Amino acid sequence: MSAAFSVDNLSVVYDHFYALKDVTIEIAAGESFGLVGESGSGKSTLLRAVAGLAPVTNGTISIHGAPLNGSKRSKDFYRQVQMVFQDPYGSLHPRQTIDRLLLEPLAIHGIGDSDTRIARALDEVGLGNGFRFRYPHQLSGGQRQRVAIARALIVEPSILLLDEPTSALDASVQAEVLNLLEQVRRDRKLTFAMVSHDLGVITHMCERLAVMRNGEVVEMLTAAELAGADVHEDYTKNLMVASEGFVRA
Ligand SMILES: Nc1ncnc2c1ncn2[C@@H]1O[C@H](COP(=O)(O)OP(=O)(O)O)[C@@H](O)[C@H]1O
Ligand SMILES: [Mg+2]
């Protein structure tokens, strides 16, 4: 299996506190990998460390088999690896039109043909060209998250890091956005690393997952094992009970 990315003994320490401790995970190209665990278990820290938004204290991050050179990331890295956050309002500048928001990543990466790309990106996420000159506050939560996804996709990444991408949305809108993500993953052969506190979302979207607690991975499971309650740790069983609507452990 060729790895899209891997972390090897990764630790993130904040003032002697291990937010992430010796985490080793390898995610295959085209795989959708889930991260679950109680609040504060280090899920966001893991994604943020990969994206370059949290300081790596120890360990190695490799992209397509090539280890990063310390904390240095190439411009190509910032194109290949895109992150989508829970709160699209926080990640979309309120004074910029959707057009500007989509133009910015193209400009940063020196990608031309912006008119065509912006139109295509809006179309891909199910928003027509009519959204182009609106502002984020004129959009619903689901539409804003579609813009955030378009903004990630427009630079043609290979890896998406998704941190609770639908947790702020109503259930029906959540399902639509998850379907969109699944669709673009298939169409573009993307690799996903996705955090959710909703185990149903993870079993639906992911093939494998890591269960995290206190910055460490306590077990690795396939989605089928999680769905079938074929888990080893009591901690994971408790997560299953706590996740609303999920099967009883
Ligand atoms: N910038 C930071 N400074 C200090 N502590 C942090 C920082 N970011 C995260 N933490 C701590 O690291 C732990 C893991 O946080 P996080 O990765 O956000 O958890 P999760 O996403 O699983 O809820 C928490 O205890 C959190 O308070
Ligand atoms: Mg988090």
Side-chain angles (χ1 to χ4, degrees):
M1 127 174 144
S2 86
F5 76 98
S6 58
V7 300
D8 197 13
N9 280 303
L10 193 68
S11 295
V12 172
V13 183
Y14 291 112
D15 196 22
H16 304 291
F17 171 76
Y18 277 82
L20 210 63
K21 194 173 182 193
D22 292 336
V23 170
T24 298
I25 294 174
E26 189 169 287
I27 302 180
E31 188 176 20
S32 181
F33 189 90
L35 295 166
V36 303
E38 64 191 355
S39 177
S41 58
K43 308 179 297 293
S44 295
T45 301
L46 175 55
L47 295 191
R48 293 172 63 85
V50 173
L53 301 169
V56 172
T57 311
N58 247 308
T60 315
I61 299 167
S62 303
I63 305 293
H64 301 305
L68 297 183
N69 176 15
S71 62
K72 283 200 196 70
R73 284 168 176 74
S74 66
K75 206 159 178 184
D76 186 59
F77 173 92
Y78 286 109
R79 197 179 65 75
Q80 293 282 342
V81 181
Q82 294 294 317
M83 190 150 168
V84 176
F85 299 90
Q86 174 176 345
D87 172 18
Y89 214 42
S91 59
L92 299 179
H93 195 291
R95 286 184 200 276
Q96 291 185 346
T97 60
I98 306 311
D99 187 66
R100 291 284 312 198
L101 287 165
L102 295 176
L103 187 60
E104 188 179 60
L106 293 176
I108 288 171
H109 292 283
I111 301 171
D113 209 8
S114 56
D115 272 344
T116 313
R117 284 177 194 273
I118 290 170
R120 205 196 298 149
L122 284 172
D123 186 54
E124 185 172 16
V125 299
L127 300 173
N129 239 347
F131 284 87
R132 195 159 163 185
F133 295 101
R134 295 200 205 173
Y135 290 89
H137 72 265
Q138 296 173 312
L139 273 54
S140 70
Q143 289 166 341
R144 282 200 290 269
Q145 199 57 304
R146 286 173 192 268
V147 172
I149 293 165
R151 201 165 187 261
L153 293 178
I154 203 165
V155 296
E156 293 176 13
S158 56
I159 297 166
L160 286 197
L161 307 175
L162 302 149
D163 194 355
E164 306 261 12
T166 60
S167 299
L169 306 174
D170 296 340
S172 62
V173 179
Q174 175 171 0
E176 287 170 17
V177 173
L178 289 173
N179 286 341
L180 167 66
L181 286 169
E182 189 49 38
Q183 181 77 43
V184 297
R185 186 169 80 88
R186 235 179 297 126
D187 291 350
R188 290 171 171 253
K189 300 180 174 43
L190 299 175
T191 305
F192 280 5
M194 172 183 275
V195 171
S196 179
H197 64 265
D198 184 332
L199 301 189
V201 166
I202 294 295
T203 53
H204 177 68
M205 295 290 293
C206 302
E207 290 135 12
R208 289 192 305 139
L209 60 133
V211 182
M212 295 189 64
R213 180 187 203 179
N214 294 337
E216 298 184 82
V217 174
V218 299
E219 64 180 322
M220 296 273 206
L221 298 166
T222 63
E225 285 168 338
L226 183 63
D230 184 11
V231 307
H232 297 109
E233 300 291 326
D234 285 343
Y235 172 77
T236 307
K237 291 175 187 165
N238 289 335
L239 283 179
M240 294 171 66
V241 173
S243 183
E244 215 176 309
F246 201 72
V247 287
R248 235 182 303 267

